[in-house]
Amino acid sequence: MSLKLVSCAPQEMNQITELTPSQITATLQTCVEQVLKLVYAALTTTTTVSKHLAFTTLQHWTEHSRVSLSHLHAQSFLPLLITALSIPQQQQQEATLVAASRALTEAILIPTDNCTPSREAAVQLLMQAISQGHFIRTPLQSNSSQEVAHALGTLLATLVCEEVDVIVQHENPHLLDLLLTIQAHPS
């Protein structure tokens, strides 16, 4: 029940017309550590419903409270996101894949940690996951819906655009192959 309430908080805060967007973000940021702990606890359980709700909550909070890629990495979320985005779609809900993809995409878009060692370590972890062949590729190739394919494609395109300097320095033929796979996807 508490995760459902926490999940709705960012959208509800955005409905308050008396606060500016920066005031809303600042207010949400005061709660982000506790929310991340709650989400992490839900993600480490084994129920599909709690994982779906946890990824949805993470998506809402990364969108509205500016949770960076470094922050997710420091809080041990990246292995959980990589695992979720490496499983065939048949083994999890479509909405879970979309929420996990969008949460990670939003975190990549936060520029406050650009060029920091922690962000570079997080990007290297993502690039390593791509090299291993299952991250993004497996759910994409498991008859994914148009919405899942779009979310995964957006995630990969965002990673490439935001981290082009790192990607150019470290050749990764798996990344190019994955980009071509997404381009050739029927949806």
Side-chain angles (χ1 to χ4, degrees):
M1 177 64 163
S2 62
L3 196 56
K4 284 184 181 181
L5 292 173
V6 169
S7 181
C8 297
Q11 291 94 328
E12 293 298 322
M13 287 291 293
N14 281 323
Q15 301 301 318
I16 300 172
T17 57
E18 293 83 23
L19 297 175
T20 66
S22 59
Q23 290 172 319
I24 291 170
T25 300
T27 302
L28 289 171
Q29 286 178 337
T30 62
C31 307
V32 77
E33 292 303 321
Q34 293 301 324
V35 170
L36 290 178
K37 286 179 185 177
L38 184 64
V39 169
Y40 187 83
L43 286 174
T44 54
T45 64
T46 57
T47 66
T48 304
V49 173
S50 66
K51 285 185 180 187
H52 168 68
L53 183 55
F55 280 128
T56 301
T57 303
L58 185 62
Q59 174 193 346
H60 294 165
W61 280 81
T62 55
E63 287 174 1
H64 300 285
S65 65
R66 306 189 55 81
V67 177
S68 69
L69 186 59
S70 295
H71 200 157
L72 289 181
H73 184 50
Q75 299 290 329
S76 301
F77 277 97
L78 285 186
L80 298 172
L81 285 160
I82 288 169
T83 299
L85 296 172
S86 299
I87 297 172
Q89 182 181 347
Q90 297 92 341
Q91 295 180 13
Q92 59 185 328
Q93 296 175 347
E94 177 181 313
T96 301
L97 281 167
V98 171
S101 296
R102 289 180 179 163
L104 189 51
T105 300
E106 289 295 329
I108 291 169
L109 286 170
I110 302 300
T112 57
D113 63 341
N114 280 349
C115 300
T116 62
S118 59
R119 179 155 181 128
E120 289 176 12
V123 171
Q124 288 302 324
L125 186 62
L126 294 173
M127 296 305 293
Q128 181 181 12
I130 289 170
S131 294
Q132 292 172 351
H134 298 291
F135 179 58
I136 299 175
R137 180 183 307 277
T138 300
L140 183 69
Q141 292 179 333
S142 64
N143 300 321
S144 61
S145 70
Q146 186 171 357
E147 188 175 10
V148 169
H150 183 264
L152 293 170
T154 300
L155 168 60
L156 188 61
T158 302
L159 177 64
V160 169
C161 289
E162 294 295 319
E163 302 302 332
V164 70
D165 295 339
V166 175
I167 291 168
V168 169
Q169 291 174 359
H170 307 1
E171 289 184 31
N172 188 336
H174 299 282
L175 177 63
L176 179 58
D177 185 52
L178 184 55
L179 286 166
L180 293 172
T181 300
I182 286 179
Q183 182 183 11
H185 194 273
S187 41

